[in-house]
Amino acid sequence: MNLCFIGTGYVGLVSGACFADLGNDVVCVDVDEKKLSLLRQGEVPFYEPGLRDILQRNVREKRLRFTSDTAEAVRNSEAVFVCVGTPEGPGGEADLRYILAAAEDIGKSIDGYKVVIIKSTVPVGTNERVRRTIEQHVVGDHEFDVVSNPEFLREGAAVKDFQNPDRIVVGARSERATATLARLYKPVTRATKPLMFTSPQNAEVIKYASNAMLAARISFVNELSHLCEAVGADIKEVAKGMGLDDRIGVRFLSAGAGYGGSCFPKDVRALAQTMEQHGTTSNFLRAVDYINERQKRSLVPKLKKLLPKLDGKRIAIWGLSFKPRTSDIRNATALTVIAQLQDEYAQVVVFDPEAMDEARTVLSDVVFADDAYAALDGADALIICTEWDEFRTPDLARMKSLMREPIVVDGRNVFDAGEVAATGFRYVGIGR
């Protein structure tokens, strides 16, 4: 099929490249000419495992191209995917200005039947708003359908998630649109990985509800970690014991220094805002968000119990991205920790395997180290903010020899507490 993707962020670029890899002819649209130039050269503007190879292969085979001409891209496509951002508004609501602007552009460009597919995360009711907006701007008597098809791609595993999805949710009103989406997703649909057809309203709520549930599990185990610290229990053992119950499971029950990224924080708040706008309470979701923000601020107080005066101290940070296998630093715990340390007049030195370039655009008055060990040279303490695999089994003796004070605040519980303590470190984790 001929497909158009409006927006070349994580969702649009991954989805567009992967659909091209399935044999479709794909054009991706963006307004950023600098980004488009980079993409045409086969370069990806962010780190996502496996994406660069797929992009380069499909650009080379002419199944994937990039343009700033929305009208031409829409006219030449059978299906148009809307993958633009929905940033957080001042009250926590989703800002739909880019969605509605894309809908207006699509309406002006339609010259025949199109399926418009909303992949962006949007509050319930947006499908209908997009339909009305397109209808207002269509020139002539052209039919179209608007479908809600939320994405469930995890940063750091997005290509894998596209190729092997847990489920594909499609909210459609017409049989014609349903048939188009069934055809599109046939190559990745399996008996155990269903293609679920439902209403647009259900699809919109499913996306927010899924992210909010995962965020709630994280906040629950983080809340429980404080009890474990108070009574001498170990949250890792507690979570393991809970997870052995098939009704609960182990996923998203790892205590740490809070979740970040572009999805969970804003989606939890947006769902809460939507509930309040429709006259229902959102106490649970507000608590989930509060617990998470408190958790992100919990590492520096832990450090101050071991190193009370931070003024002039050199503090190393391992991990800047909000999670491993991505360069994305949006809402990352490390940003909160660094701001707290700078408020205490500490000197901060940082290292991350992939996020250093992005961090340089937003961080000031920090030292960027060449590698993890270089960050420790002369450090009075180490704070681990991201659980990159390369941080899990370091040379502890070398670490200790480099540091001025052998202090570790493990915000992701990546170390074996007993092993680290036996090496002579003063160690504190989460809920341990």
Side-chain angles (χ1 to χ4, degrees):
M1 293 181 66
N2 293 325
L3 308 178
C4 167
F5 287 79
I6 299 178
T8 59
Y10 276 93
V11 176
L13 190 57
V14 171
S15 300
C18 287
F19 268 117
D21 212 42
L22 294 177
N24 299 286
D25 290 319
V26 174
V27 56
C28 293
V29 181
D30 206 287
V31 297
D32 187 338
E33 289 289 351
K34 185 177 179 181
K35 180 192 283 189
L36 291 173
S37 176
L38 194 69
L39 291 168
R40 289 176 186 131
Q41 298 172 47
E43 297 299 324
V44 178
F46 50 82
Y47 177 68
E48 182 61 43
L51 178 58
R52 187 169 180 266
D53 289 343
I54 291 176
L55 184 143
Q56 290 180 343
R57 177 167 62 250
N58 287 281
V59 168
R60 185 172 61 248
E61 296 182 7
K62 302 186 186 314
R63 287 195 299 262
L64 179 63
R65 64 185 183 88
F66 303 93
T67 183
S68 59
D69 190 337
T70 303
E72 180 193 20
V74 170
R75 284 194 296 267
N76 293 332
S77 299
E78 300 164 72
V80 181
F81 288 81
V82 179
C83 308
V84 298
T86 53
E88 186 174 350
E93 73 284 359
D95 184 343
L96 299 180
R97 77 179 79 173
Y98 304 113
I99 291 282
L100 298 178
E104 182 176 337
D105 288 341
I106 292 167
K108 292 176 180 177
S109 307
I110 286 179
D111 60 351
Y113 176 75
K114 308 289 181 185
V115 180
V116 179
I117 304 162
I118 304 173
K119 286 204 79 67
S120 303
T121 301
V122 293
V124 62
T126 302
N127 183 290
E128 177 59 22
R129 290 186 66 181
V130 167
R131 188 195 64 77
R132 290 199 306 266
T133 301
I134 294 174
E135 192 173 58
Q136 290 168 4
H137 292 88
V138 169
V139 178
D141 186 21
H142 299 300
E143 294 184 2
F144 65 92
D145 280 304
V146 179
V147 171
S148 294
N149 174 218
E151 57 84 18
F152 298 100
L153 306 178
R154 298 168 295 164
E155 290 187 34
V159 171
K160 177 183 176 182
D161 286 345
F162 181 95
Q163 296 169 339
N164 298 279
D166 288 331
R167 80 289 202 197
I168 300 164
V169 176
V170 174
R173 297 184 182 89
S174 77
E175 291 184 4
R176 190 174 184 182
T178 297
T180 300
L181 271 291
R183 175 185 166 199
L184 260 178
Y185 280 111
K186 184 178 180 180
V188 294
T189 304
R190 305 288 185 272
T192 58
K193 311 288 186 181
L195 177 57
M196 174 184 174
F197 288 101
T198 186
S199 72
Q201 296 95 323
N202 288 341
E204 290 167 332
V205 174
I206 285 169
K207 169 60 178 180
Y208 274 108
S210 298
N211 278 358
M213 174 58 75
L214 297 176
R217 286 173 67 91
I218 296 170
S219 283
F220 173 79
V221 76
N222 281 337
E223 180 88 327
L224 199 59
S225 73
H226 295 278
L227 174 64
C228 291
E229 291 175 7
V231 301
D234 187 334
I235 191 62
K236 295 192 77 169
E237 290 294 302
V238 171
K240 179 181 178 181
M242 291 168 55
L244 291 174
D245 186 328
D246 288 341
R247 297 169 300 174
I248 298 174
V250 298
R251 299 187 69 184
F252 286 82
L253 281 185
S254 295
Y259 57 75
S262 64
C263 296
F264 283 10
K266 76 176 182 69
D267 290 355
V268 168
R269 294 169 195 149
L271 182 56
Q273 183 76 4
T274 298
M275 294 175 72
E276 291 162 4
Q277 288 173 348
H278 287 81
T280 63
T281 61
S282 61
N283 297 338
F284 177 76
L285 293 175
R286 295 297 185 190
V288 168
D289 182 49
Y290 168 79
I291 292 166
N292 185 65
E293 293 306 307
R294 183 185 65 183
Q295 197 74 5
K296 290 163 70 172
R297 296 191 298 270
S298 68
L299 299 186
V300 172
K302 289 178 184 290
L303 172 61
K304 292 183 72 173
K305 291 181 179 179
L306 303 177
L307 192 66
K309 301 296 183 181
L310 298 181
D311 189 353
K313 300 296 185 182
R314 184 178 176 90
I315 310 300
I317 302 290
W318 278 5
L320 297 170
S321 57
F322 83 93
K323 71 175 197 175
R325 293 176 294 281
T326 180
S327 59
D328 194 347
I329 62 172
R330 287 174 290 182
N331 295 298
T333 293
L335 302 185
T336 299
V337 171
I338 290 168
Q340 288 177 290
L341 291 171
Q342 291 178 332
D343 286 343
E344 299 276 350
Y345 303 102
Q347 180 188 21
V348 180
V349 55
V350 302
F351 174 74
D352 186 281
E354 294 293 342
M356 298 286 268
D357 288 342
E358 289 196 26
R360 285 188 174 95
T361 66
V362 299
L363 292 178
S364 58
D365 298 323
V366 303
V367 176
F368 291 90
D370 292 334
D371 57 51
Y373 291 107
L376 299 180
D377 192 10
D380 295 287
L382 165 66
I383 301 178
I384 301 173
C385 292
T386 314
E387 62 274 33
W388 285 94
D389 285 342
E390 68 181 74
F391 298 159
R392 293 185 181 278
T393 55
D395 185 333
L396 295 175
R398 182 182 177 189
M399 288 175 58
K400 188 179 178 186
S401 70
L402 289 169
M403 297 177 70
R404 186 156 46 210
E405 293 285 345
I407 296 173
V408 173
V409 177
D410 187 353
R412 299 297 175 185
N413 288 345
V414 299
F415 288 165
D416 181 296
E419 182 182 1
V420 176
T423 310
F425 283 90
R426 288 190 286 164
Y427 171 91
V428 60
I430 304 294
R432 312 177 83 177

